[in-house]
Amino acid sequence: MTRSQVSAGTQQEEAPTGGPTVLRILLGTQLRRLREARAISREDAGWEIRASGSKISRMELGRVSFKERDVSDLLTLYGVTEPNEREALLVLARQANNPGWWQQFSDVMPGWFQSYLGLEAAATLIRTYEIQFVPGLLQTPDYARAVIMLGHAGVTPEEMNKRVELRRQRQAILDRPEGPQLWAVIDEAVLRRPIGGVEIMKAQIEFLIEASKKPNVRLQIIPFHAGGHAAAGGPFAILRFPEPELPDVVYVEQLTSAIYLDKREDVDQYAMAMERVCIDAEPPNHTPEILGKLLHEVGRPA
């Protein structure tokens, strides 16, 4: 974030669509640069706000909320005295503490997934590879219900409806004028596995056919005959953001947690794997034809 961009923040209090996750990362990055410019250690900065060096590290990585008083004290320590610049960063701190739209669903999703929703909402490009389920951003409500039942047997109707609504609200980002580009690569096995039954799967494939026609959606299918490929280890997503200060983030979901990677060497490895699966997959312009064929084959005996 440049100084002119920071100063522009004083003109309005409304937070960007991405919500608090990205705002915390942006503010943390700015604070780290200010600290390093003055050659101040994390330990000394932590002492200034009655905390530890590890707390400063978490703040600079955007992994904790910000107290406005702490940010103000750090700005003083870092020699930021210009009123407009200070106020812009303090406004950013206040915005970063505002709850995201997904907070209303916090009772039906783990905390580690909330971080992903903030990143997803702020991304300009989402590249995802799936081997088991249709990506959440492209699921129909009935397909989503069937997927949820697989992992949450005995869920109440109220909780089920809330989980499905969470998916629906996530998908709204694809219809925003400034929404992200979604580039999804799906293994053929995903589309031949009749999650929820034949009719639900047919409706899901029809939905994918329509989604593939959107200008901001690129969908590729990896056919069975492609054999093994570079990302056979499991599904993942790579997110890119409009702010040049923010690195790409790799998201790898596990059964009870998730991994977020932003080190250049890690991101590069996953980016290369993604490039390989895109090469192994059929071209995007073949997708409607492939899906149309699958639509007529779903439910037929093998």
Side-chain angles (χ1 to χ4, degrees):
M1 181 179 292
T2 64
R3 288 201 175 195
S4 61
Q5 288 172 317
V6 172
S7 297
T10 62
Q11 302 300 315
Q12 57 181 357
E13 291 274 347
E14 182 180 356
T17 310
T21 305
V22 167
L23 296 181
R24 288 198 302 266
I25 296 173
L26 282 172
L27 179 56
T29 299
Q30 191 73 358
L31 290 175
R32 176 180 56 79
R33 290 179 175 177
L34 290 169
R35 177 181 60 78
E36 291 177 346
R38 298 297 290 259
I40 297 172
S41 69
R42 290 191 180 93
E43 288 68 26
D44 288 343
W47 186 87
E48 186 69 18
I49 63 169
R50 303 150 297 280
S52 63
S54 61
K55 170 68 176 295
I56 295 296
S57 178
R58 292 194 298 273
M59 290 175 65
E60 292 179 350
L61 291 171
R63 293 177 180 171
V64 293
S65 59
F66 293 89
K67 292 182 180 179
E68 191 171 340
R69 173 187 171 185
D70 289 345
V71 174
S72 179
D73 289 345
L74 289 174
L75 293 178
T76 299
L77 177 65
Y78 300 158
V80 180
T81 58
E82 202 279 319
N84 286 340
E85 187 176 0
R86 286 182 65 92
E87 180 58 21
L89 289 167
L90 291 173
V91 165
L92 194 57
R94 290 193 288 271
Q95 292 174 343
N97 287 331
N98 291 334
W101 63 262
W102 51 89
Q103 292 298 320
Q104 61 184 305
F105 300 99
S106 60
D107 59 327
V108 295
M109 64 175 172
W112 48 263
F113 187 63
Q114 295 182 40
S115 297
Y116 176 76
L117 292 181
L119 296 173
E120 181 181 77
T124 55
L125 173 63
I126 302 169
R127 302 182 71 182
T128 183
Y129 167 68
E130 285 288 347
I131 61 173
Q132 186 170 8
F133 302 118
V134 170
L137 289 175
L138 297 175
Q139 292 179 4
T140 65
D142 286 338
Y143 182 93
R145 288 176 184 275
V147 171
I148 292 167
M149 284 298 297
L150 291 176
H152 301 86
V155 65
T156 66
E158 293 77 15
E159 182 178 338
M160 173 63 77
N161 290 337
K162 202 166 186 179
R163 289 179 180 274
V164 173
E165 177 62 14
L166 169 60
R167 277 171 167 76
R168 189 194 69 79
Q169 292 199 27
R170 280 179 63 196
Q171 294 172 357
I173 65 172
L174 295 179
D175 295 321
R176 295 197 321 243
E178 75 287 3
Q181 293 283 325
L182 174 63
W183 189 346
V185 182
I186 305 176
D187 194 278
E188 182 180 344
V190 171
L191 304 172
R192 291 191 177 276
R193 187 177 296 114
I195 301 293
V198 172
E199 295 307 314
I200 287 177
M201 199 64 214
K202 284 184 175 180
Q204 176 63 71
I205 293 175
E206 290 174 344
F207 182 85
L208 290 176
I209 293 174
E210 293 305 310
S212 69
K213 299 176 183 178
K214 291 184 176 182
N216 62 329
V217 174
R218 178 180 292 187
L219 181 59
Q220 291 183 260
I221 311 299
I222 297 184
F224 284 141
H225 64 71
H229 39 80
F236 62 92
I238 306 175
L239 301 98
R240 179 164 296 170
F241 309 96
E243 295 82 2
E245 295 86 353
L246 295 183
D248 289 359
V249 173
V250 174
Y251 172 76
V252 183
E253 187 169 315
Q254 301 175 324
L255 185 61
T256 59
S257 63
I259 299 173
Y260 295 85
L261 304 170
D262 61 5
K263 290 184 178 180
R264 183 61 180 270
E265 56 268 29
D266 293 330
V267 174
D268 285 348
Q269 287 293 321
Y270 276 90
M272 286 190 291
M274 182 66 80
E275 292 297 333
R276 287 300 310 167
V277 297
C278 289
I279 293 172
D280 292 341
E282 293 291 330
N285 61 316
H286 291 184
T287 297
E289 179 184 352
I290 294 171
L291 291 174
K293 182 179 178 181
L294 287 170
L295 183 62
H296 291 93
E297 294 178 358
V298 170
R300 291 182 180 177

